[in-house]
Amino acid sequence: MRLLVLEDDSTLGPWIEKGLQEAGHVVDRFVDGKDALVAAMTQPYDVLILDRMVPGLDGLSLLKSLRQAKVQTPALFLTALSDVEDRVEGLSAGGDDYLTKPFAFAELLARVEVIARRQGGGQATGDNESAVLSAGDIAIDLHKRTCKRQGQSIDLNPKEFLLLEVFLRSKGRVQTRTMLLERVWDMSFDPTTSVVETHISRLRGKIEKPFGDQLIRTIRGTGYVFDPA
């Protein structure tokens, strides 16, 4: 799944982001509510995870703006505001769940997955449809963490699976090396690392070589495009 996280705490924010990525999700984390609102209005997300006390625009106001704009992406409040009135206010504003700090990461992950299954990641589809991303003759099941092409199962390690998920979600759009480093490995630009090239080569060996064609095109000097026939 692709998740938006609004959390400005310099310790907690990266910890949540890393944990969600290790669980196989694509995570965009913001520390300012105004930036998060722009992203949530213009990008497709499966679930929003919102702190209520952040700079620029608080999570509650952000969600109210989204709901007024008819954006129905499921949202979970993750906040230290724990009074009954606070929880009621959050749910009344359009929140789908409310988890107070401190919390167990396993519970956060479980709640996010339940919200996504229950509401189809904000799309008007059933649970089975929302769990599957596909393009051409290749598909991945986000819940079962499986990959198939032409009906054949393909064994992918967690990073290969996440890399393919990013490509499926951005079909036809260039993904730069820096973008892939940030989304899959939580790394900023590093000219010395070849981790992207290495994993794309391995992924190609699994999803392209046995089938004798090309799904991932290299755009010299720019990045990669996932473009199945």
Short mmCIF file of all heavy atoms in Angstrom, two decimals, residues 60-85:
data_model
loop_
_atom_site.label_atom_id
_atom_site.label_comp_id
_atom_site.label_asym_id
_atom_site.label_seq_id
_atom_site.Cartn_x
_atom_site.Cartn_y
_atom_site.Cartn_z
N LEU A 60 -6.16 17.40 12.15
CA LEU A 60 -7.63 17.51 12.16
C LEU A 60 -8.11 18.47 11.07
O LEU A 60 -9.03 18.15 10.31
CB LEU A 60 -8.10 17.98 13.53
CG LEU A 60 -9.62 18.04 13.72
CD1 LEU A 60 -10.22 16.64 13.74
CD2 LEU A 60 -9.96 18.78 15.02
N SER A 61 -7.47 19.63 10.98
CA SER A 61 -7.85 20.60 9.95
C SER A 61 -7.57 20.06 8.56
O SER A 61 -8.34 20.31 7.62
CB SER A 61 -7.09 21.91 10.17
OG SER A 61 -7.41 22.49 11.41
N LEU A 62 -6.47 19.34 8.43
CA LEU A 62 -6.14 18.73 7.14
C LEU A 62 -7.24 17.80 6.68
O LEU A 62 -7.70 17.85 5.54
CB LEU A 62 -4.80 17.97 7.25
CG LEU A 62 -4.24 17.29 6.01
CD1 LEU A 62 -2.73 17.16 6.12
CD2 LEU A 62 -4.84 15.88 5.80
N LEU A 63 -7.70 16.92 7.59
CA LEU A 63 -8.72 15.95 7.21
C LEU A 63 -10.04 16.63 6.89
O LEU A 63 -10.75 16.22 5.96
CB LEU A 63 -8.90 14.91 8.31
CG LEU A 63 -9.81 13.73 7.94
CD1 LEU A 63 -9.24 12.98 6.74
CD2 LEU A 63 -10.00 12.79 9.11
N LYS A 64 -10.38 17.67 7.65
CA LYS A 64 -11.62 18.41 7.36
C LYS A 64 -11.56 18.99 5.95
O LYS A 64 -12.55 18.94 5.20
CB LYS A 64 -11.83 19.51 8.38
CG LYS A 64 -12.25 19.02 9.76
CD LYS A 64 -12.43 20.19 10.72
CE LYS A 64 -12.90 19.73 12.08
NZ LYS A 64 -13.07 20.85 13.04
N SER A 65 -10.40 19.52 5.56
CA SER A 65 -10.25 20.09 4.22
C SER A 65 -10.40 19.01 3.15
O SER A 65 -11.02 19.24 2.11
CB SER A 65 -8.88 20.76 4.09
OG SER A 65 -8.76 21.86 4.96
N LEU A 66 -9.84 17.84 3.41
CA LEU A 66 -9.95 16.75 2.45
C LEU A 66 -11.40 16.29 2.29
O LEU A 66 -11.87 16.08 1.17
CB LEU A 66 -9.09 15.56 2.89
CG LEU A 66 -7.57 15.73 2.80
CD1 LEU A 66 -6.88 14.49 3.35
CD2 LEU A 66 -7.14 15.97 1.36
N ARG A 67 -12.09 16.16 3.41
CA ARG A 67 -13.47 15.70 3.33
C ARG A 67 -14.36 16.74 2.65
O ARG A 67 -15.28 16.39 1.91
CB ARG A 67 -14.00 15.38 4.74
CG ARG A 67 -13.26 14.22 5.43
CD ARG A 67 -13.37 12.92 4.65
NE ARG A 67 -12.81 11.78 5.37
CZ ARG A 67 -11.71 11.12 4.98
NH1 ARG A 67 -11.09 11.49 3.87
NH2 ARG A 67 -11.27 10.10 5.67
N GLN A 68 -14.09 18.00 2.87
CA GLN A 68 -14.84 19.05 2.18
C GLN A 68 -14.60 19.01 0.68
O GLN A 68 -15.49 19.34 -0.11
CB GLN A 68 -14.46 20.42 2.74
CG GLN A 68 -14.97 20.67 4.16
CD GLN A 68 -14.45 21.97 4.74
OE1 GLN A 68 -13.70 22.70 4.10
NE2 GLN A 68 -14.85 22.26 5.98
N ALA A 69 -13.40 18.57 0.29
CA ALA A 69 -13.05 18.46 -1.12
C ALA A 69 -13.47 17.10 -1.71
O ALA A 69 -13.11 16.78 -2.84
CB ALA A 69 -11.56 18.66 -1.32
N LYS A 70 -14.21 16.31 -0.92
CA LYS A 70 -14.72 15.00 -1.35
C LYS A 70 -13.62 13.97 -1.53
O LYS A 70 -13.80 12.98 -2.26
CB LYS A 70 -15.53 15.13 -2.65
CG LYS A 70 -16.65 16.16 -2.59
CD LYS A 70 -17.63 15.87 -1.48
CE LYS A 70 -18.76 16.91 -1.46
NZ LYS A 70 -19.70 16.71 -0.33
N VAL A 71 -12.47 14.17 -0.88
CA VAL A 71 -11.41 13.16 -0.88
C VAL A 71 -11.69 12.22 0.28
O VAL A 71 -11.70 12.63 1.44
CB VAL A 71 -10.01 13.80 -0.72
CG1 VAL A 71 -8.94 12.71 -0.61
CG2 VAL A 71 -9.72 14.73 -1.89
N GLN A 72 -11.95 10.95 -0.04
CA GLN A 72 -12.40 10.00 0.98
C GLN A 72 -11.35 8.98 1.38
O GLN A 72 -11.68 7.91 1.89
CB GLN A 72 -13.66 9.28 0.47
CG GLN A 72 -14.83 10.21 0.19
CD GLN A 72 -15.26 10.99 1.44
OE1 GLN A 72 -15.23 10.47 2.55
NE2 GLN A 72 -15.64 12.25 1.23
N THR A 73 -10.08 9.29 1.15
CA THR A 73 -9.02 8.37 1.56
C THR A 73 -9.13 8.04 3.05
O THR A 73 -9.25 8.97 3.86
CB THR A 73 -7.64 8.99 1.29
OG1 THR A 73 -7.57 9.44 -0.06
CG2 THR A 73 -6.53 7.97 1.54
N PRO A 74 -9.12 6.78 3.43
CA PRO A 74 -9.23 6.42 4.85
C PRO A 74 -8.12 7.07 5.68
O PRO A 74 -6.98 7.21 5.22
CB PRO A 74 -9.08 4.90 4.84
CG PRO A 74 -9.51 4.49 3.48
CD PRO A 74 -9.07 5.59 2.57
N ALA A 75 -8.46 7.48 6.89
CA ALA A 75 -7.49 8.19 7.73
C ALA A 75 -7.51 7.66 9.16
O ALA A 75 -8.57 7.35 9.71
CB ALA A 75 -7.81 9.69 7.74
N LEU A 76 -6.31 7.55 9.73
CA LEU A 76 -6.14 7.14 11.11
C LEU A 76 -5.41 8.24 11.84
O LEU A 76 -4.35 8.69 11.40
CB LEU A 76 -5.35 5.83 11.18
CG LEU A 76 -5.04 5.28 12.58
CD1 LEU A 76 -4.98 3.75 12.54
CD2 LEU A 76 -3.70 5.81 13.12
N PHE A 77 -5.97 8.71 12.94
CA PHE A 77 -5.29 9.70 13.77
C PHE A 77 -4.34 8.97 14.72
O PHE A 77 -4.73 8.01 15.39
CB PHE A 77 -6.29 10.53 14.57
CG PHE A 77 -6.98 11.59 13.76
CD1 PHE A 77 -8.31 11.45 13.41
CD2 PHE A 77 -6.29 12.72 13.34
CE1 PHE A 77 -8.95 12.43 12.66
CE2 PHE A 77 -6.92 13.70 12.59
CZ PHE A 77 -8.25 13.56 12.24
N LEU A 78 -3.09 9.44 14.77
CA LEU A 78 -2.08 8.90 15.68
C LEU A 78 -1.56 10.07 16.50
O LEU A 78 -0.77 10.88 16.00
CB LEU A 78 -0.95 8.24 14.89
CG LEU A 78 0.15 7.56 15.70
CD1 LEU A 78 -0.42 6.41 16.53
CD2 LEU A 78 1.26 7.07 14.78
N THR A 79 -2.02 10.19 17.72
CA THR A 79 -1.80 11.43 18.45
C THR A 79 -1.74 11.21 19.96
O THR A 79 -2.21 10.19 20.47
CB THR A 79 -2.93 12.43 18.12
OG1 THR A 79 -2.78 13.61 18.90
CG2 THR A 79 -4.30 11.83 18.39
N ALA A 80 -1.16 12.19 20.64
CA ALA A 80 -1.11 12.15 22.11
C ALA A 80 -2.40 12.67 22.74
O ALA A 80 -2.59 12.54 23.95
CB ALA A 80 0.08 12.97 22.60
N LEU A 81 -3.27 13.26 21.95
CA LEU A 81 -4.54 13.77 22.46
C LEU A 81 -5.49 12.59 22.70
O LEU A 81 -6.02 12.02 21.76
CB LEU A 81 -5.16 14.76 21.48
CG LEU A 81 -4.33 16.02 21.21
CD1 LEU A 81 -4.99 16.88 20.13
CD2 LEU A 81 -4.15 16.82 22.50
N SER A 82 -5.67 12.24 23.96
CA SER A 82 -6.33 10.98 24.27
C SER A 82 -7.68 11.11 24.96
O SER A 82 -8.32 10.10 25.28
CB SER A 82 -5.42 10.12 25.15
OG SER A 82 -5.08 10.83 26.35
N ASP A 83 -8.14 12.32 25.23
CA ASP A 83 -9.43 12.48 25.89
C ASP A 83 -10.57 11.99 24.99
O ASP A 83 -10.44 12.00 23.75
CB ASP A 83 -9.69 13.94 26.26
CG ASP A 83 -8.77 14.42 27.38
OD1 ASP A 83 -8.18 13.56 28.07
OD2 ASP A 83 -8.64 15.65 27.55
N VAL A 84 -11.65 11.61 25.61
CA VAL A 84 -12.81 11.15 24.83
C VAL A 84 -13.26 12.22 23.85
O VAL A 84 -13.58 11.93 22.69
CB VAL A 84 -13.97 10.77 25.78
CG1 VAL A 84 -15.23 10.48 24.97
CG2 VAL A 84 -13.60 9.56 26.63
N GLU A 85 -13.25 13.47 24.29
CA GLU A 85 -13.67 14.56 23.41
C GLU A 85 -12.78 14.66 22.17
O GLU A 85 -13.25 14.95 21.07
CB GLU A 85 -13.66 15.89 24.17
CG GLU A 85 -14.70 15.99 25.27
CD GLU A 85 -14.27 15.30 26.56
OE1 GLU A 85 -13.12 14.77 26.61
OE2 GLU A 85 -15.07 15.28 27.52
#
